[in-house]
């Protein structure tokens, strides 16, 4: 039974008016993403068994209730959580400000961790993953640090659903979904950050079916904390008979507490981070020692732990991407408020004696806001697209096995981009949010300062962006003879065809995206030829640029989709078509799309040229030539 | 008399071996910049009266002595200065860690602030500005926060030299150069950050020749501190009969202490910044009040204070650019050390069972190091080029008035790029330095975390980069019918012609830079036509992209110059031409130039196309369309 899991759906919040600005994210944007961009009604119709009990209006109410809770509970403690860093007390427990603990409880008590769980047997809300991602946006805007615990816990729930035994699921899912227990992922070891082949943690079977674990892990987000009563660590370790390499890694559930007392899991220190300081990060988590061992249970099959972990990683990477985009949205929102409030200077063509104008009237400030918005909202749309594909793969009833395979291919290809693009460009949005503030943005008096520090980790954790680019070009692109890129191009092509019919800006954008898509295709062929000829080093040397290239094309697709929706709304006569908020909203969407197509998309030509030249500047550089 | 000003030149440090790595900057790089890039002997030969007493060997000894002092005194207190933020004590004075105060005293006592001052009457070392900039590099690498005080003080000295009365110079320059007194610049007011037209601080003449000042200033770096015995504030204010606008601003020297006690200058709070926390920043500095006034003295002529201040601003902007480049160098150096020390993963073509390699062997890590190095060293070279032009303008005896005018035009054009490019791209280098460290770089255990926070302010202070781009396109480019760009193109053209003769890589780079220079020329013509037709808004809307475009071309010029030097050295048979350090150094320089030409320079095509299209996406965006 999930405590209070049902509260969400009945706790209808007062509707937030469209023109009411939020400190976090504009409610109109969330509504747009739900109803228009995702078209959640259409998704529900395709998955009647799973989502038939939901409709867009209910989903929107949940988003609004979440938004309200995020403003009430998370936003006010965010700065406190940043400044009052957790520490290890003399008793060896982790200290948090009590306000932060209370905020976390408000989140978990409301049942948000059970949003996507099935009603039977879990008492969950059985919402689409993409809707749950939207519900979490305001929370992530309000505090990236607080949300990092929940993102991991949701991931652990999904992993146990997929690979846990019936007993493990029955024992742990209710505790995790209620917030009684938080989850962690224990992969990295001090000598092997991203290199899982080299882990040394060992598991040895015991007669009672459990396992003795010995080893140490590092970089464990939430590795210890005092917010939840217990912690379920998911730990990668090797069995005695394990084959070499990543195929010899197994997965174990290691609780912080056993029935008869604490497990042998010791926190030896916390990392002191640049940002997201409210979220603990275990410097080292030691399982067992010479005298004893930690107790764990095998999850899934022996030696197949990494594959099992990747079930969690894919959705976790979407969550990381969403979090990065949300932090960018929060920065953009703060910069927008500041730019509207702050008078300074005047139009270059206005007389010097005229009164000062708000800085939002300056072209260079508009540039920064447009750029930040195009990154933030482009990132949200991208991650939600991935989340919706997850929903379709898992629950759509109208797709054939071959269609499902196409969706899986597209998702696999998008995952590294979803993890990376919002973390790269969201950071850029947060940088611009500071710049809009001028000197004020460099002080801790303004939230943009914290947001920028919080955002910096996104390029690093859950697989650095460098690792993601190797995943993209090394695995996803060449798989099944390039079938994934072809499947993606088909999807993008459908949007292009749709946009083309609209004429005007949409037709123009569509033609430009078509050109770039052809460019991607040609560039990919050149690269794959290089790989086919066996020059793996030169092929992979282009992975960073290739990911940047494909990322911008995919986000241009997101903006084309949004432009089409906006153009349709404007053509069909929006409510208040006389210049009211609704018209302004769609005109703003169209104009931001124009920004992306004019200022961002053209950047990829240089990248495509570079990749197609099979440039080898990077791999041919030599260690001893660096001074 | 400047205390101990002569100590530097006699205090010869033991030579630092070439292969000895530094935590801050490689000594070989400093030597390269001095002897080969700047060719300081040639500069000295052109300015015999001013610099005839110096030679390259002496200059290098000073650089090495400074390097040693920076490692001994600055580097060890840098983290402490970051973590132990200054605060206002109950007595109203500013607290600093005593170790930081001692480090500052070690710098000023050694006479570094008098490096460029004339021997007569100041007892200075009479070094070229570009050499002094090089001496300061290791200090800036070691602590941006500590150096910010000295950069300002050096600027105040220069301003008084140019515009102070004989008495003011005699009274203040010795105190400033010895560190007894630090200097500040008081421009911004709370309602008018970058908009100096709108300042409200007033000055009224008194019978004794002094002035009463009333008003408040903000964002004052070093606005109060307890490191120096006194402070000389340079304050912009308006006289009662001041004309409207920037032409009615006068400049005043307002000391913290008068002969008979404290002046009426009150610190009401310190800003809490993201980085450079060792450097105080006055939240508000209040001059006088209803009951009384602060006492100040007019510097230069009435109503001409802004022009006088800009004497200081140009050299200060070079110093800011140098500081940004130095912080980038420090990040690159730290990342390089980490990448060499940290074993993880293996070559993609190596067997899985082979031992792990240091991460510097991975192509993607080389990419990040090459990028960071190209930004850091490119930025250093750019700023030094500006500093050397300052030396030539002021002291070269072999230039005709028309040649001097050409140099002034080039310098004016370069100043906004010198301020902006290293602050934009240096931050990128510092971002990459974290990324090379992975999760470790996000913790406060590694210096790259602080460097990234320190670096973020460079885009903002001493004129935001947005303001710089308006200065570039709005003033510098159109001045005298585009004479400045023509003068710059001539200088770049000379390097291209020189490089062309070398053949090989240099010829290839030269041809590519020639193409881009033509592209700049065409783009500029299109823009100027737009300005000529009176569409100022659309013209200036392109200022950001134009500055990025021209900045990359100018830095490509810097890398072409370095490539030519490296190619010459390699062709003439470097010492240890059998693969020793010297050969490696030049091969590394060539390869970094290749990185810049292959990976960076091509980015400008999209920017040029955008500018030439006279895109108006930014100015046509409307306030109410942002949500």
């Amino acid at each position: 039974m999930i405590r209070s899991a049902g509260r969400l759906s009945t706790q209808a919040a007062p509707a937030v008016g469209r023109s009411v600005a939020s400190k976090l994210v504009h409610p109109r944007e969330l509504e747009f993403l739900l109803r228009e961009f995702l078209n959640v009604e259409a998704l529900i119709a395709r998955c009647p068994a799973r989502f038939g009990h939901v409709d867009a209006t209910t989903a929107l109410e949940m988003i609004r209730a979440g938004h309200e809770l995020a403003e009430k509970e998370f936003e006010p403690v965010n700065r406190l959580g940043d400044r009052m860093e957790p520490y290890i007390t003399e008793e060896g427990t982790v200290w948090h400000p009590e306000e932060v603990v209370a905020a976390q409880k408000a989140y978990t008590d409301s049942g948000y961790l059970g949003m996507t769980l099935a009603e039977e047997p879990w008492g969950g809300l059985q919402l689409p993953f993409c809707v749950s991602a939207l519900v979490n946006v305001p929370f992530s805007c309000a505090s990236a640090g607080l949300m990092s615990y929940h993102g991991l816990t949701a991931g652990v729930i999904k992993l146990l659903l997929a690979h846990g035994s019936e007993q493990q699921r029955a024992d742990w899912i209710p505790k995790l979904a209620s917030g009684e227990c938080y989850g962690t992922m224990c992969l990295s070891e001090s000598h092997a950050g991203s290199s899982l082949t080299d882990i040394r943690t060992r598991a040895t079977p015991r007669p009672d079916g459990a396992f003795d674990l010995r080893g140490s892990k590092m970089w464990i987000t939430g590795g210890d904390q005092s917010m939840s009563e217990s912690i379920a660590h998911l730990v990668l370790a090797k069995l005695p008979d394990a084959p070499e390499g990543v195929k010899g890694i197994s997965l174990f559930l290691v609780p912080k507490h056993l029935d008869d007392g604490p497990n042998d899991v010791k926190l030896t220190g916390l990392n002191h981070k640049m940002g997201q300081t409210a979220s603990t990060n275990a410097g080292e988590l030691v399982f067992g020692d010479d005298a004893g061992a930690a107790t764990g249970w095998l999850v899934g099959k022996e030696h197949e732990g990494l594959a099992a972990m990747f079930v969690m990683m894919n959705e976790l990477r979407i969550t990381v991407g969403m979090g990065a985009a949300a932090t960018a949205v929060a920065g953009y929102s703060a910069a927008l408020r500041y730019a509207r409030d702050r008078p300074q200077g005047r139009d270059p063509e206005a007389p010097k004696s005229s009164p000062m104008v708000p800085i939002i009237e300056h072209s260079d400030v508009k540039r920064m806001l447009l750029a930040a918005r195009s990154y933030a909202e482009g990132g949200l749309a991208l991650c939600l697209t991935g989340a919706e594909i997850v929903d379709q793969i898992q629950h759509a009833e109208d797709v054939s096995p071959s269609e499902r395979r196409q969706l899986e291919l597209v998702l696999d290809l998008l995952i590294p981009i979803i993890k990376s693009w919002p973390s790269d460009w969201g950071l850029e949005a947060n940088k611009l949010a500071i710049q809009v503030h001028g000197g004020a943005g460099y002080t801790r008096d303004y939230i943009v300062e914290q947001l920028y520090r919080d955002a910096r980790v996104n390029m690093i954790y859950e697989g650095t962006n460098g690792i993601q680019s190797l995943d993209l070009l090394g695995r996803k692109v060449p798989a099944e003879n390039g079938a994934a890129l072809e499947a993606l191009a088909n999807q993008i092509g459908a949007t292009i065809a749709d946009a083309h019919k609209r004429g005007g800006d949409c037709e123009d954008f569509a033609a430009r995206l078509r050109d770039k898509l052809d460019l991607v295709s040609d560039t990919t062929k050149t690269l794959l030829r290089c790989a086919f000829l066996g020059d793996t080093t030169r092929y992979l040397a282009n992975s960073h640029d290739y990911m940047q290239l494909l990322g911008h094309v995919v986000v241009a697709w997101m903006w084309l989709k949004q432009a089409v929706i906006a153009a349709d709304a404007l053509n069909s006569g929006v409510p208040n078509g006389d210049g009211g908020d609704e018209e302004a909203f769609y005109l703003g969407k169209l104009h931001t799309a124009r920004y992306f197509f004019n200022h961002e998309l053209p950047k990829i030509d240089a990248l495509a040229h570079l990749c197609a030249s099979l440039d080898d500047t990077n791999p041919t550089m030599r260690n001893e030539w660096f001074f």
Side-chain angles (χ1 to χ4, degrees), chain A:
Chain A
M1 274 298 298
I2 296 170
R3 237 191 302 167
S4 328
R7 201 188 294 174
L8 242 186
S9 56
T10 56
Q11 186 190 35
V16 180
R18 273 176 187 154
S19 58
V20 176
S22 162
K23 278 193 171 179
L24 306 174
V25 49
H26 201 290
R28 185 63 184 90
E29 174 65 13
L30 296 177
E31 185 181 348
F32 171 81
L33 289 169
L34 180 84
R35 282 193 197 269
E36 297 162 89
F37 181 79
L38 286 179
N39 190 356
V40 74
E41 293 286 10
L43 173 70
I44 290 166
R46 297 179 61 193
C47 317
R50 181 76 181 185
F51 304 132
H53 65 297
V54 199
D55 62 23
T57 306
T58 325
L60 190 61
E61 272 170 20
M62 285 175 195
I63 291 169
R64 285 175 179 169
H67 198 165
E68 200 173 70
L69 194 73
E71 285 184 331
K72 184 165 158 259
E73 301 284 348
F74 266 42
E75 195 276 329
V77 306
N78 183 40
R79 310 288 288 277
L80 180 77
D82 180 56
R83 300 307 298 167
M84 308 282 278
E85 204 171 356
Y87 62 88
I88 304 176
T89 65
E90 287 183 13
E91 292 77 40
T93 59
V94 177
W95 176 90
H96 312 272
E98 59 188 36
E99 295 88 340
V100 167
V101 177
Q104 294 288 60
K105 202 164 146 47
Y107 180 89
T108 55
D109 278 0
S110 298
Y112 286 105
L113 284 166
M115 275 190 284
T116 60
L117 281 176
E119 214 175 316
E120 285 300 326
W122 308 114
L125 293 172
Q126 210 168 304
L127 291 184
F129 178 47
C130 61
V131 172
S132 78
L134 265 172
V135 171
N136 278 331
V137 167
F139 292 101
S140 292
C141 291
S143 178
L146 267 63
M147 280 305 283
S148 66
Y149 299 96
H150 306 313
L152 279 164
T153 303
V156 170
I157 292 173
K158 289 199 171 142
L159 191 145
L160 290 177
L161 277 175
H163 293 281
S165 66
E166 202 166 329
Q167 191 60 46
Q168 286 169 340
R169 285 185 277 163
D171 286 348
W172 291 100
I173 288 176
K175 287 185 204 171
L176 289 160
S178 69
E180 181 186 332
C181 181
Y182 287 2
T184 77
M185 272 172 69
C186 305
L187 286 77
S188 301
E189 301 182 8
S190 63
H191 60 287
S194 301
S195 180
L196 296 173
T197 315
D198 300 298
I199 63 165
R200 292 180 193 150
T201 301
R202 301 283 152 185
T204 43
R206 294 193 327 212
D208 64 355
F211 289 79
D212 280 342
L213 274 94
R214 283 189 182 84
S216 77
K217 296 284 181 178
M218 68 185 300
W219 305 122
I220 313 302
T221 299
D224 201 1
Q225 38 78 16
S226 313
M227 295 166 167
S228 62
E229 290 168 34
S230 189
I231 302 175
H233 301 292
L234 287 180
V235 182
L236 291 182
K238 289 184 175 173
L239 288 165
D241 58 343
E244 281 296 308
V246 291
K247 290 192 176 122
I249 297 173
S250 304
L251 181 67
F252 298 87
L253 192 156
V254 183
K256 179 178 173 183
H257 295 290
L258 300 173
D259 289 342
D260 54 354
N263 201 349
D264 193 353
V265 182
K266 282 183 295 291
L267 175 70
T268 61
L270 293 174
N271 284 314
H272 302 290
K273 292 176 296 173
M274 175 192 288
Q276 300 208 11
T277 46
S279 129
T280 58
N281 186 279
E284 201 185 18
L285 207 57
V286 181
F287 298 89
D289 53 25
D290 292 346
T295 301
W297 288 269
L298 182 71
V299 177
K301 296 188 185 147
E302 291 185 0
H303 313 319
E304 295 185 12
L306 206 61
M309 188 65 103
F310 269 88
V311 166
M312 174 170 165
M313 297 274 260
N314 272 1
E315 292 189 32
L316 198 58
R317 283 172 179 171
I318 294 177
T319 303
V320 168
M322 279 300 282
T327 302
V329 167
Y332 159 72
S333 300
L336 178 57
R337 284 197 311 283
Y338 187 85
R340 280 178 171 152
D341 285 351
R342 166 86 181 161
Q344 201 187 299
R346 35 190 74 71
D347 187 274
E349 306 199 44
K352 296 284 178 209
S353 58
S354 62
M356 290 200 287
V357 297
I359 61 170
I360 198 172
E361 298 300 337
H362 300 313
S363 175
D364 199 55
V365 174
K366 289 180 188 173
R367 170 185 70 78
M368 294 190 277
L369 290 171
L370 277 168
R373 183 181 184 181
S374 77
Y375 306 148
E377 295 178 4
L380 280 186
L382 170 63
C383 297
L384 287 171
T385 298
E388 193 188 25
I389 296 175
V390 170
D391 286 318
Q392 289 180 42
I393 291 171
Q394 292 178 353
H395 304 296
E397 295 166 30
D398 60 351
V399 291
S400 65
S402 76
E403 285 167 339
R404 178 162 286 122
R405 183 66 199 134
Q406 295 295 302
L407 288 171
E408 285 168 352
L409 283 168
V410 170
L411 181 67
D412 280 350
L413 191 72
L414 287 180
I415 285 291
I417 300 173
I418 284 173
K419 157 58 195 20
S420 305
W421 199 93
S423 61
D424 279 335
W425 294 93
L427 182 64
E428 199 63 24
N430 288 110
K431 183 173 96 179
L432 290 168
I434 289 180
Q435 198 69 14
V436 169
H437 285 68
Y442 193 63
T443 69
R444 302 198 297 268
D445 297 336
Y446 289 83
I447 190 65
V448 289
E449 186 271 339
Q450 181 186 339
L451 293 171
Y452 184 60
R453 287 183 290 107
D454 286 351
R456 181 61 188 85
V457 79
N458 295 318
M459 290 174 66
I460 300 171
Y461 69 0
E462 311 317 329
T464 65
N465 288 4
I467 297 283
Q468 300 298 331
S469 72
L470 291 172
D471 179 43
L472 179 68
L473 195 60
R475 278 193 286 261
K476 304 303 178 55
V477 168
E480 298 184 26
N481 288 317
L485 194 62
E486 205 179 308
L488 177 69
N490 288 340
Q491 288 213 7
I492 299 178
T495 307
I496 289 174
D498 196 30
H500 197 79
K501 290 183 226 145
R502 300 297 190 286
D505 278 342
C506 288
E507 184 178 351
D508 174 36
F509 299 159
R512 288 198 260 165
L513 185 55
R514 164 57 62 203
D515 281 350
K516 301 303 180 196
L517 202 53
D518 292 345
L519 185 63
V520 169
S521 171
D522 292 346
T523 308
T524 310
K525 275 180 206 146
T526 307
L527 281 168
L528 286 173
R529 205 173 307 124
C530 169
F532 180 75
L533 295 172
D535 195 348
T536 308
T537 301
R538 194 187 278 255
Y539 173 68
L540 290 179
N542 285 280
S543 59
H544 168 81
D545 294 305
Y546 185 82
M547 188 165 70
Q548 292 289 326
L549 160 73
L550 190 55
H552 257 45
V553 168
V554 167
V555 175
W557 172 39
M558 297 295 104
W559 277 110
L560 182 60
K561 276 190 160 184
Q562 296 183 72
V564 167
I565 297 166
D568 284 356
L570 290 166
N571 286 337
S572 69
V574 291
N576 312 316
D578 52 352
D581 273 357
E582 280 297 279
E583 190 178 17
F585 178 79
Y586 292 116
L587 287 168
K589 277 284 181 195
L590 259 186
H591 212 88
T592 311
R594 184 174 304 143
Y595 179 87
F596 200 85
F597 275 88
N598 287 359
H599 287 245
E600 292 295 330
L601 191 58
K603 291 177 180 173
I604 73 164
D605 291 0
L607 296 170
H609 185 74
L610 186 62
C611 289
S613 77
L614 302 172
D615 179 72
D616 65 354
T617 306
N618 298 328
T620 56
M621 181 68 183
R622 289 166 60 170
N623 183 347
E624 65 271 24
W625 294 352
F626 284 111
F627 271 68

